[in-house]
Amino acid sequence: MVNIGLKDVWYRYTGSSSWSLKGVSIIIQNGETVLVTGHNGSGKTTMLKIASLIYRPSSGAVLVDGKDFWVLRESERTSVRRSIVYVHEKPVLLRGSVLSNVAYGLAIRGVSSGEAVKKCREVLEELGIWELHRSSPHKLSAGQAQLMAVARALVLDPEALFLDEPFAHLDSEKREILVNTLIGRQRQGVSIVISSHQVGYLGKLSVNKTVTLENGVVMRAREKREKGESNS
Amino acid sequence: MRVLSGEVIDTVLRSLYVSGVATMLSLTWSVPASYILALRQRTGLVEALLETLVGMPTVLLGLLLYFLFSSSGPLAPLRLLYTPQAMIVGEAILVTPLIISTSHRLLRNAITTYSELALSLGAGRDQAMTLILRETSPGIIASAVMGFSRAVGELGIAMMVGGNISGYTRVATTAIALGVSRGEFEEALVLGLMLLAIMLVVAVALKSLSRVYVKW
Ligand SMILES: Nc1ncnc2c1ncn2[C@@H]1O[C@H](COP(=O)(O)OP(=O)(O)O)[C@@H](O)[C@H]1O
Ligand SMILES: [Mg+2]
């Protein structure tokens, strides 16, 4: 159970002279699926990283279940972060095998390796890439690496899942696998936030809310996706 | 086979020992210093200074240390002059700019990438730092190997604060210099080639060792 709110969030990257987010306010309710759209450079990635508690806003607040996240103590922050997971647009590959990459989050939570392997296998099989578990992640195709990064997040059973352009490198077959997996998670009550500069990829995935960004400002926030917008 | 005498082997081993310990000693401060430098924003001046110091003449550093360690110097009570310990300290200082200037660059990119990943998957601050060091370890080992090579190959410090004492502070480079000055070219050459061969083995071994890390 997690509600995440951004309250008048402004963000400027270190060394940059312009604001990447200018007063963004949104609410992601528990169990909701939110689509964030907008052109390249509109601030989708920045907003997702702020909402998933990776970046600290330059000003404004991030509320998790009503509590101001950035005034919490470091240890409290870590425990809040454990239920909120973000998947990068460009997967970050770690040394070792696909399996050890996927197991990373479990390892730092102190999960035993036997249990971790079992969990990883479950998720990798669901995503159709279990047979790659021994390979080096550097040998994967872009789409396979993307799915590996999603698996690394899903094994943690997050309450809120942030996916940055998750469909960008996927072919239609992998896209369908991912959509079906996400539908399964929706049914379990997981909040899902997806960014996409193209809206056509979502297929059967239903969305509760669409947020459109333009130059760091929320242009439109609509409950329920309008018909026809989903299919391209 | 006079050239492969026990003394030659002894000298080569001492070279590896002194420079190996010096490199490890340097890592204890070079890695934290690289990390701190990598977290800073405007570091151009520090980088320029470090890059200049990479090429510091070893005799100059040897001379400075000689003044510090000599009987009238401020560090005389330590009685380090003409000991292997003095050579270790000197070489550890010598390789510091090289290790910092190569590894801080590596860490700078890694810190952003891996700390973001660590945070995104719920890691704490210490776990994030562990991940950063784990992911950069092959690069840091490579830069340590470069430092080690520089230490093995230097002559100035070994001569000035080691003193080329047979069986005690004589290392490959000082032995080669002595051999050449005596006209024993063959022995000097064999010693040099032997040293290079061993260093190659060490570098290859460390490189493959740093690659095999796979948890499952
Ligand atoms: N690391 C960075 N440093 C400076 N500016 C950045 C950085 N990352 C993104 N920006 C800027 O912030 C704005 C928003 O970028 P981003 O959130 O990546 O947009 P999107 O994901 O919608 O393409 C852009 O103008 C971009 O140039
Ligand atoms: Mg983006």
Side-chain angles (χ1 to χ4, degrees), chain A residues 13-14 16 20 38-47 89 164-165:
Chain A
Y13 284 89
T14 359
S16 169
S20 296
H39 298 294
N40 279 329
S42 59
K44 302 181 296 295
T45 296
T46 311
M47 194 191 89
E89 175 176 2
D164 201 352
E165 309 266 359

Side-chain angles (χ1 to χ4, degrees), chain A residues 125-164:
Chain A
E125 277 176 348
E126 187 180 356
L127 292 172
I129 52 169
W130 165 251
E131 65 275 19
L132 298 169
H133 73 280
R134 281 174 189 280
S135 334
S136 158
H138 294 279
K139 294 197 179 117
L140 304 183
S141 71
Q144 291 165 338
Q146 192 89 40
L147 288 183
M148 181 196 84
V150 172
R152 188 160 56 188
L154 289 179
V155 294
L156 303 174
D157 285 326
E159 291 173 28
L161 177 63
F162 290 79
L163 301 167
D164 201 352

Side-chain angles (χ1 to χ4, degrees), chain A residues 169-212:
Chain A
H169 303 291
L170 303 187
D171 56 31
S172 57
E173 187 196 345
K174 289 197 179 63
R175 211 177 291 159
E176 199 181 325
I177 290 175
L178 181 57
V179 166
N180 288 332
T181 302
L182 294 179
I183 290 173
R185 298 287 162 153
Q186 278 181 327
R187 289 203 184 108
Q188 294 164 17
V190 177
S191 312
I192 300 175
V193 180
I194 294 174
S195 84
S196 178
H197 66 279
Q198 285 171 295
V199 210
Y201 288 162
L202 299 178
K204 291 177 289 172
L205 192 71
S206 64
V207 167
N208 302 98
K209 196 188 281 175
T210 303
V211 175
T212 308

Side-chain angles (χ1 to χ4, degrees), chain A residues 27-224:
Chain A
I27 292 173
I28 300 147
Q29 308 253 3
N30 177 48
E32 213 173 35
T33 297
V34 178
L35 172 66
V36 180
T37 63
H39 298 294
N40 279 329
S42 59
K44 302 181 296 295
T45 296
T46 311
M47 194 191 89
L48 258 63
K49 285 180 179 173
I50 286 176
S52 58
L53 314 175
I54 297 173
Y55 289 172
R56 182 180 194 147
S58 310
S59 82
V62 181
L63 305 173
V64 181
D65 291 331
K67 270 187 273 177
D68 190 340
F69 177 80
W70 290 99
V71 306
L72 298 177
R73 274 178 293 130
E74 183 65 31
S75 58
E76 293 173 309
R77 282 186 210 161
T78 302
S79 75
V80 172
R81 278 198 183 103
R82 297 242 150 149
S83 55
I84 297 171
V85 163
Y86 168 88
V87 180
H88 285 83
E89 175 176 2
K90 197 166 162 284
V92 177
L93 310 179
L94 301 176
R95 304 173 58 212
S97 62
V98 167
L99 184 58
S100 66
N101 266 264
V102 175
Y104 174 73
L106 295 168
I108 58 173
R109 282 164 176 74
V111 175
S112 74
S113 62
E115 221 172 299
V117 172
K118 198 168 138 242
K119 183 80 202 169
C120 293
R121 177 166 190 158
E122 220 175 274
V123 173
L124 286 170
E125 277 176 348
E126 187 180 356
L127 292 172
I129 52 169
W130 165 251
E131 65 275 19
L132 298 169
H133 73 280
R134 281 174 189 280
S135 334
S136 158
H138 294 279
K139 294 197 179 117
L140 304 183
S141 71
Q144 291 165 338
Q146 192 89 40
L147 288 183
M148 181 196 84
V150 172
R152 188 160 56 188
L154 289 179
V155 294
L156 303 174
D157 285 326
E159 291 173 28
L161 177 63
F162 290 79
L163 301 167
D164 201 352
E165 309 266 359
F167 302 106
H169 303 291
L170 303 187
D171 56 31
S172 57
E173 187 196 345
K174 289 197 179 63
R175 211 177 291 159
E176 199 181 325
I177 290 175
L178 181 57
V179 166
N180 288 332
T181 302
L182 294 179
I183 290 173
R185 298 287 162 153
Q186 278 181 327
R187 289 203 184 108
Q188 294 164 17
V190 177
S191 312
I192 300 175
V193 180
I194 294 174
S195 84
S196 178
H197 66 279
Q198 285 171 295
V199 210
Y201 288 162
L202 299 178
K204 291 177 289 172
L205 192 71
S206 64
V207 167
N208 302 98
K209 196 188 281 175
T210 303
V211 175
T212 308
L213 286 173
E214 213 175 292
N215 286 320
V217 176
V218 177
M219 286 310 286
R220 268 176 303 176
R222 274 178 309 188
E223 304 290 316
K224 289 261 189 245

